PDB file of all heavy atoms in Angstrom:
ATOM      1  N   ARG A 267     -63.894  43.969   9.449  1.00 90.00           N
ATOM      2  CA  ARG A 267     -62.815  43.849   8.468  1.00 90.00           C
ATOM      3  C   ARG A 267     -61.781  44.944   8.712  1.00 90.00           C
ATOM      4  O   ARG A 267     -62.129  46.111   8.882  1.00 90.00           O
ATOM      5  CB  ARG A 267     -63.353  43.973   7.044  1.00 90.00           C
ATOM      6  CG  ARG A 267     -64.263  42.833   6.612  1.00 90.00           C
ATOM      7  CD  ARG A 267     -64.995  43.186   5.321  1.00 90.00           C
ATOM      8  NE  ARG A 267     -64.082  43.670   4.300  1.00 90.00           N
ATOM      9  CZ  ARG A 267     -63.480  42.897   3.393  1.00 90.00           C
ATOM     10  NH1 ARG A 267     -63.720  41.588   3.388  1.00 90.00           N
ATOM     11  NH2 ARG A 267     -62.668  43.417   2.490  1.00 90.00           N
ATOM     12  N   ILE A 268     -60.515  44.556   8.702  1.00 88.00           N
ATOM     13  CA  ILE A 268     -59.424  45.524   8.898  1.00 88.00           C
ATOM     14  C   ILE A 268     -58.502  45.416   7.678  1.00 88.00           C
ATOM     15  O   ILE A 268     -57.620  44.540   7.630  1.00 88.00           O
ATOM     16  CB  ILE A 268     -58.646  45.242  10.190  1.00 88.00           C
ATOM     17  CG1 ILE A 268     -59.594  45.192  11.389  1.00 88.00           C
ATOM     18  CG2 ILE A 268     -57.550  46.278  10.400  1.00 88.00           C
ATOM     19  CD1 ILE A 268     -58.935  44.828  12.694  1.00 88.00           C
ATOM     20  N   PRO A 269     -58.717  46.257   6.670  1.00 89.00           N
ATOM     21  CA  PRO A 269     -57.839  46.203   5.483  1.00 89.00           C
ATOM     22  C   PRO A 269     -56.416  46.605   5.844  1.00 89.00           C
ATOM     23  O   PRO A 269     -56.178  47.460   6.698  1.00 89.00           O
ATOM     24  CB  PRO A 269     -58.479  47.203   4.512  1.00 89.00           C
ATOM     25  CG  PRO A 269     -59.858  47.430   5.031  1.00 89.00           C
ATOM     26  CD  PRO A 269     -59.778  47.248   6.517  1.00 89.00           C
ATOM     27  N   ILE A 270     -55.459  45.973   5.182  1.00 85.00           N
ATOM     28  CA  ILE A 270     -54.038  46.254   5.391  1.00 85.00           C
ATOM     29  C   ILE A 270     -53.473  46.802   4.087  1.00 85.00           C
ATOM     30  O   ILE A 270     -53.635  46.188   3.024  1.00 85.00           O
ATOM     31  CB  ILE A 270     -53.278  44.983   5.815  1.00 85.00           C
ATOM     32  CG1 ILE A 270     -53.873  44.439   7.120  1.00 85.00           C
ATOM     33  CG2 ILE A 270     -51.795  45.265   5.976  1.00 85.00           C
ATOM     34  CD1 ILE A 270     -53.282  43.121   7.543  1.00 85.00           C
ATOM     35  N   GLN A 271     -52.842  47.941   4.174  1.00 86.00           N
ATOM     36  CA  GLN A 271     -52.251  48.553   2.985  1.00 86.00           C
ATOM     37  C   GLN A 271     -51.107  47.680   2.454  1.00 86.00           C
ATOM     38  O   GLN A 271     -50.193  47.314   3.190  1.00 86.00           O
ATOM     39  CB  GLN A 271     -51.730  49.955   3.318  1.00 86.00           C
ATOM     40  CG  GLN A 271     -51.167  50.695   2.123  1.00 86.00           C
ATOM     41  CD  GLN A 271     -50.598  52.047   2.512  1.00 86.00           C
ATOM     42  OE1 GLN A 271     -50.677  52.434   3.683  1.00 86.00           O
ATOM     43  NE2 GLN A 271     -50.030  52.754   1.560  1.00 86.00           N
ATOM     44  N   VAL A 272     -51.169  47.349   1.171  1.00 85.00           N
ATOM     45  CA  VAL A 272     -50.189  46.458   0.548  1.00 85.00           C
ATOM     46  C   VAL A 272     -49.706  47.096  -0.747  1.00 85.00           C
ATOM     47  O   VAL A 272     -50.491  47.655  -1.518  1.00 85.00           O
ATOM     48  CB  VAL A 272     -50.797  45.066   0.262  1.00 85.00           C
ATOM     49  CG1 VAL A 272     -49.818  44.198  -0.512  1.00 85.00           C
ATOM     50  CG2 VAL A 272     -51.180  44.389   1.564  1.00 85.00           C
ATOM     51  N   ASP A 273     -48.413  47.004  -0.988  1.00 84.00           N
ATOM     52  CA  ASP A 273     -47.800  47.485  -2.227  1.00 84.00           C
ATOM     53  C   ASP A 273     -47.245  46.279  -2.990  1.00 84.00           C
ATOM     54  O   ASP A 273     -46.603  45.400  -2.401  1.00 84.00           O
ATOM     55  CB  ASP A 273     -46.669  48.470  -1.924  1.00 84.00           C
ATOM     56  CG  ASP A 273     -46.015  48.986  -3.190  1.00 84.00           C
ATOM     57  OD1 ASP A 273     -46.628  49.824  -3.871  1.00 84.00           O
ATOM     58  OD2 ASP A 273     -44.888  48.537  -3.510  1.00 84.00           O
ATOM     59  N   ASN A 274     -47.511  46.232  -4.301  1.00 85.00           N
ATOM     60  CA  ASN A 274     -47.115  45.104  -5.135  1.00 85.00           C
ATOM     61  C   ASN A 274     -45.921  45.415  -6.036  1.00 85.00           C
ATOM     62  O   ASN A 274     -45.765  44.783  -7.085  1.00 85.00           O
ATOM     63  CB  ASN A 274     -48.295  44.648  -6.001  1.00 85.00           C
ATOM     64  CG  ASN A 274     -49.445  44.110  -5.184  1.00 85.00           C
ATOM     65  OD1 ASN A 274     -49.229  43.427  -4.184  1.00 85.00           O
ATOM     66  ND2 ASN A 274     -50.667  44.416  -5.578  1.00 85.00           N
ATOM     67  N   THR A 275     -45.101  46.370  -5.645  1.00 86.00           N
ATOM     68  CA  THR A 275     -43.918  46.678  -6.457  1.00 86.00           C
ATOM     69  C   THR A 275     -42.990  45.466  -6.519  1.00 86.00           C
ATOM     70  O   THR A 275     -42.596  44.937  -5.484  1.00 86.00           O
ATOM     71  CB  THR A 275     -43.155  47.870  -5.863  1.00 86.00           C
ATOM     72  OG1 THR A 275     -44.022  48.997  -5.779  1.00 86.00           O
ATOM     73  CG2 THR A 275     -41.941  48.214  -6.716  1.00 86.00           C
ATOM     74  N   PRO A 276     -42.640  44.997  -7.725  1.00 89.00           N
ATOM     75  CA  PRO A 276     -41.748  43.826  -7.824  1.00 89.00           C
ATOM     76  C   PRO A 276     -40.373  44.120  -7.227  1.00 89.00           C
ATOM     77  O   PRO A 276     -39.920  45.269  -7.190  1.00 89.00           O
ATOM     78  CB  PRO A 276     -41.670  43.553  -9.328  1.00 89.00           C
ATOM     79  CG  PRO A 276     -42.841  44.269  -9.925  1.00 89.00           C
ATOM     80  CD  PRO A 276     -43.079  45.461  -9.052  1.00 89.00           C
ATOM     81  N   LEU A 277     -39.738  43.072  -6.777  1.00 89.00           N
ATOM     82  CA  LEU A 277     -38.400  43.174  -6.212  1.00 89.00           C
ATOM     83  C   LEU A 277     -37.377  42.895  -7.308  1.00 89.00           C
ATOM     84  O   LEU A 277     -37.357  41.798  -7.884  1.00 89.00           O
ATOM     85  CB  LEU A 277     -38.223  42.184  -5.069  1.00 89.00           C
ATOM     86  CG  LEU A 277     -36.825  42.073  -4.454  1.00 89.00           C
ATOM     87  CD1 LEU A 277     -36.397  43.408  -3.864  1.00 89.00           C
ATOM     88  CD2 LEU A 277     -36.786  40.983  -3.402  1.00 89.00           C
ATOM     89  N   ARG A 278     -36.544  43.882  -7.596  1.00 90.00           N
ATOM     90  CA  ARG A 278     -35.515  43.742  -8.631  1.00 90.00           C
ATOM     91  C   ARG A 278     -34.140  43.723  -7.968  1.00 90.00           C
ATOM     92  O   ARG A 278     -33.826  44.586  -7.148  1.00 90.00           O
ATOM     93  CB  ARG A 278     -35.583  44.876  -9.640  1.00 90.00           C
ATOM     94  CG  ARG A 278     -34.641  44.698 -10.837  1.00 90.00           C
ATOM     95  CD  ARG A 278     -34.843  45.782 -11.866  1.00 90.00           C
ATOM     96  NE  ARG A 278     -34.080  45.510 -13.087  1.00 90.00           N
ATOM     97  CZ  ARG A 278     -34.066  46.302 -14.156  1.00 90.00           C
ATOM     98  NH1 ARG A 278     -34.788  47.429 -14.158  1.00 90.00           N
ATOM     99  NH2 ARG A 278     -33.353  45.978 -15.224  1.00 90.00           N
ATOM    100  N   ILE A 279     -33.338  42.735  -8.356  1.00 90.00           N
ATOM    101  CA  ILE A 279     -32.009  42.545  -7.769  1.00 90.00           C
ATOM    102  C   ILE A 279     -31.008  42.387  -8.899  1.00 90.00           C
ATOM    103  O   ILE A 279     -31.192  41.557  -9.799  1.00 90.00           O
ATOM    104  CB  ILE A 279     -31.970  41.310  -6.841  1.00 90.00           C
ATOM    105  CG1 ILE A 279     -32.989  41.467  -5.718  1.00 90.00           C
ATOM    106  CG2 ILE A 279     -30.584  41.086  -6.283  1.00 90.00           C
ATOM    107  CD1 ILE A 279     -33.130  40.244  -4.850  1.00 90.00           C
ATOM    108  N   ARG A 280     -29.945  43.195  -8.865  1.00 90.00           N
ATOM    109  CA  ARG A 280     -28.895  43.146  -9.878  1.00 90.00           C
ATOM    110  C   ARG A 280     -27.536  43.025  -9.190  1.00 90.00           C
ATOM    111  O   ARG A 280     -27.355  43.474  -8.059  1.00 90.00           O
ATOM    112  CB  ARG A 280     -28.907  44.408 -10.750  1.00 90.00           C
ATOM    113  CG  ARG A 280     -30.147  44.553 -11.622  1.00 90.00           C
ATOM    114  CD  ARG A 280     -30.190  45.906 -12.303  1.00 90.00           C
ATOM    115  NE  ARG A 280     -29.005  46.160 -13.107  1.00 90.00           N
ATOM    116  CZ  ARG A 280     -28.858  45.784 -14.370  1.00 90.00           C
ATOM    117  NH1 ARG A 280     -29.852  45.150 -14.988  1.00 90.00           N
ATOM    118  NH2 ARG A 280     -27.744  46.048 -15.035  1.00 90.00           N
ATOM    119  N   GLY A 281     -26.590  42.407  -9.881  1.00 90.00           N
ATOM    120  CA  GLY A 281     -25.247  42.268  -9.331  1.00 90.00           C
ATOM    121  C   GLY A 281     -24.354  41.497 -10.278  1.00 90.00           C
ATOM    122  O   GLY A 281     -24.807  40.909 -11.278  1.00 90.00           O
ATOM    123  N   LEU A 282     -23.049  41.508  -9.983  1.00 91.00           N
ATOM    124  CA  LEU A 282     -22.088  40.779 -10.803  1.00 91.00           C
ATOM    125  C   LEU A 282     -22.190  39.284 -10.549  1.00 91.00           C
ATOM    126  O   LEU A 282     -22.436  38.842  -9.426  1.00 91.00           O
ATOM    127  CB  LEU A 282     -20.664  41.257 -10.507  1.00 91.00           C
ATOM    128  CG  LEU A 282     -20.297  42.662 -10.995  1.00 91.00           C
ATOM    129  CD1 LEU A 282     -18.885  43.017 -10.575  1.00 91.00           C
ATOM    130  CD2 LEU A 282     -20.437  42.764 -12.511  1.00 91.00           C
ATOM    131  N   VAL A 283     -21.978  38.510 -11.616  1.00 90.00           N
ATOM    132  CA  VAL A 283     -22.058  37.051 -11.505  1.00 90.00           C
ATOM    133  C   VAL A 283     -20.960  36.530 -10.597  1.00 90.00           C
ATOM    134  O   VAL A 283     -21.190  35.714  -9.709  1.00 90.00           O
ATOM    135  CB  VAL A 283     -21.983  36.407 -12.903  1.00 90.00           C
ATOM    136  CG1 VAL A 283     -21.867  34.893 -12.785  1.00 90.00           C
ATOM    137  CG2 VAL A 283     -23.200  36.794 -13.727  1.00 90.00           C
ATOM    138  N   GLY A 284     -19.714  36.996 -10.797  1.00 90.00           N
ATOM    139  CA  GLY A 284     -18.597  36.549  -9.970  1.00 90.00           C
ATOM    140  C   GLY A 284     -18.264  35.089 -10.199  1.00 90.00           C
ATOM    141  O   GLY A 284     -18.539  34.503 -11.263  1.00 90.00           O
ATOM    142  N   SER A 285     -17.679  34.469  -9.193  1.00 89.00           N
ATOM    143  CA  SER A 285     -17.265  33.068  -9.314  1.00 89.00           C
ATOM    144  C   SER A 285     -18.451  32.106  -9.239  1.00 89.00           C
ATOM    145  O   SER A 285     -18.378  30.990  -9.738  1.00 89.00           O
ATOM    146  CB  SER A 285     -16.268  32.717  -8.207  1.00 89.00           C
ATOM    147  OG  SER A 285     -16.852  32.939  -6.918  1.00 89.00           O
ATOM    148  N   SER A 286     -19.550  32.515  -8.612  1.00 89.00           N
ATOM    149  CA  SER A 286     -20.731  31.659  -8.490  1.00 89.00           C
ATOM    150  C   SER A 286     -21.974  32.526  -8.615  1.00 89.00           C
ATOM    151  O   SER A 286     -22.178  33.446  -7.817  1.00 89.00           O
ATOM    152  CB  SER A 286     -20.739  30.925  -7.144  1.00 89.00           C
ATOM    153  OG  SER A 286     -21.961  30.247  -6.942  1.00 89.00           O
ATOM    154  N   LEU A 287     -22.789  32.241  -9.625  1.00 90.00           N
ATOM    155  CA  LEU A 287     -24.002  33.021  -9.832  1.00 90.00           C
ATOM    156  C   LEU A 287     -24.976  32.836  -8.671  1.00 90.00           C
ATOM    157  O   LEU A 287     -25.609  33.800  -8.213  1.00 90.00           O
ATOM    158  CB  LEU A 287     -24.663  32.607 -11.151  1.00 90.00           C
ATOM    159  CG  LEU A 287     -25.999  33.286 -11.504  1.00 90.00           C
ATOM    160  CD1 LEU A 287     -25.854  34.796 -11.492  1.00 90.00           C
ATOM    161  CD2 LEU A 287     -26.494  32.806 -12.864  1.00 90.00           C
ATOM    162  N   TYR A 288     -25.086  31.614  -8.158  1.00 91.00           N
ATOM    163  CA  TYR A 288     -26.014  31.355  -7.056  1.00 91.00           C
ATOM    164  C   TYR A 288     -25.599  32.120  -5.799  1.00 91.00           C
ATOM    165  O   TYR A 288     -26.412  32.807  -5.172  1.00 91.00           O
ATOM    166  CB  TYR A 288     -26.074  29.859  -6.772  1.00 91.00           C
ATOM    167  CG  TYR A 288     -27.015  29.495  -5.646  1.00 91.00           C
ATOM    168  CD1 TYR A 288     -28.372  29.327  -5.868  1.00 91.00           C
ATOM    169  CD2 TYR A 288     -26.536  29.334  -4.343  1.00 91.00           C
ATOM    170  CE1 TYR A 288     -29.233  29.003  -4.838  1.00 91.00           C
ATOM    171  CE2 TYR A 288     -27.404  29.007  -3.300  1.00 91.00           C
ATOM    172  CZ  TYR A 288     -28.743  28.843  -3.562  1.00 91.00           C
ATOM    173  OH  TYR A 288     -29.588  28.543  -2.527  1.00 91.00           O
ATOM    174  N   ARG A 289     -24.304  32.014  -5.423  1.00 92.00           N
ATOM    175  CA  ARG A 289     -23.853  32.693  -4.202  1.00 92.00           C
ATOM    176  C   ARG A 289     -23.934  34.211  -4.347  1.00 92.00           C
ATOM    177  O   ARG A 289     -24.261  34.913  -3.384  1.00 92.00           O
ATOM    178  CB  ARG A 289     -22.437  32.254  -3.863  1.00 92.00           C
ATOM    179  CG  ARG A 289     -22.340  30.831  -3.343  1.00 92.00           C
ATOM    180  CD  ARG A 289     -21.005  30.587  -2.654  1.00 92.00           C
ATOM    181  NE  ARG A 289     -19.909  30.647  -3.602  1.00 92.00           N
ATOM    182  CZ  ARG A 289     -19.402  29.596  -4.231  1.00 92.00           C
ATOM    183  NH1 ARG A 289     -19.907  28.396  -4.012  1.00 92.00           N
ATOM    184  NH2 ARG A 289     -18.393  29.725  -5.073  1.00 92.00           N
ATOM    185  N   SER A 290     -23.628  34.726  -5.539  1.00 91.00           N
ATOM    186  CA  SER A 290     -23.685  36.173  -5.747  1.00 91.00           C
ATOM    187  C   SER A 290     -25.117  36.680  -5.628  1.00 91.00           C
ATOM    188  O   SER A 290     -25.371  37.728  -5.024  1.00 91.00           O
ATOM    189  CB  SER A 290     -23.101  36.529  -7.114  1.00 91.00           C
ATOM    190  OG  SER A 290     -21.743  36.132  -7.205  1.00 91.00           O
ATOM    191  N   ALA A 291     -26.069  35.933  -6.220  1.00 91.00           N
ATOM    192  CA  ALA A 291     -27.465  36.355  -6.142  1.00 91.00           C
ATOM    193  C   ALA A 291     -27.991  36.273  -4.713  1.00 91.00           C
ATOM    194  O   ALA A 291     -28.728  37.156  -4.263  1.00 91.00           O
ATOM    195  CB  ALA A 291     -28.317  35.493  -7.078  1.00 91.00           C
ATOM    196  N   ARG A 292     -27.610  35.237  -3.980  1.00 91.00           N
ATOM    197  CA  ARG A 292     -28.045  35.112  -2.596  1.00 91.00           C
ATOM    198  C   ARG A 292     -27.439  36.219  -1.737  1.00 91.00           C
ATOM    199  O   ARG A 292     -28.104  36.772  -0.851  1.00 91.00           O
ATOM    200  CB  ARG A 292     -27.672  33.739  -2.038  1.00 91.00           C
ATOM    201  CG  ARG A 292     -28.434  32.587  -2.642  1.00 91.00           C
ATOM    202  CD  ARG A 292     -29.864  32.529  -2.163  1.00 91.00           C
ATOM    203  NE  ARG A 292     -29.934  32.144  -0.770  1.00 91.00           N
ATOM    204  CZ  ARG A 292     -30.717  32.697   0.129  1.00 91.00           C
ATOM    205  NH1 ARG A 292     -31.486  33.711  -0.227  1.00 91.00           N
ATOM    206  NH2 ARG A 292     -30.750  32.277   1.369  1.00 91.00           N
ATOM    207  N   ALA A 293     -26.169  36.541  -1.993  1.00 91.00           N
ATOM    208  CA  ALA A 293     -25.523  37.613  -1.232  1.00 91.00           C
ATOM    209  C   ALA A 293     -26.161  38.967  -1.531  1.00 91.00           C
ATOM    210  O   ALA A 293     -26.152  39.860  -0.679  1.00 91.00           O
ATOM    211  CB  ALA A 293     -24.026  37.649  -1.550  1.00 91.00           C
ATOM    212  N   ALA A 294     -26.722  39.122  -2.726  1.00 89.00           N
ATOM    213  CA  ALA A 294     -27.376  40.380  -3.089  1.00 89.00           C
ATOM    214  C   ALA A 294     -28.764  40.498  -2.483  1.00 89.00           C
ATOM    215  O   ALA A 294     -29.381  41.562  -2.577  1.00 89.00           O
ATOM    216  CB  ALA A 294     -27.451  40.510  -4.606  1.00 89.00           C
TER     217      ALA A 294
END
């Protein structure tokens, strides 16, 4: 067995909505 070190810190992403919420979130 070869354990692999893993971190479970959630990924948080913030940004301005702009003209398109989907495109802004993807760009972030």
Side-chain angles (χ1 to χ4, degrees):
R267 293 167 50 91
I268 306 176
I270 300 174
Q271 183 183 358
V272 174
D273 180 75
N274 296 322
T275 302
L277 174 61
R278 187 175 188 180
I279 301 174
R280 294 172 57 87
L282 289 177
V283 172
S285 59
S286 172
L287 177 55
Y288 180 84
R289 288 196 293 267
S290 299
R292 291 287 290 137

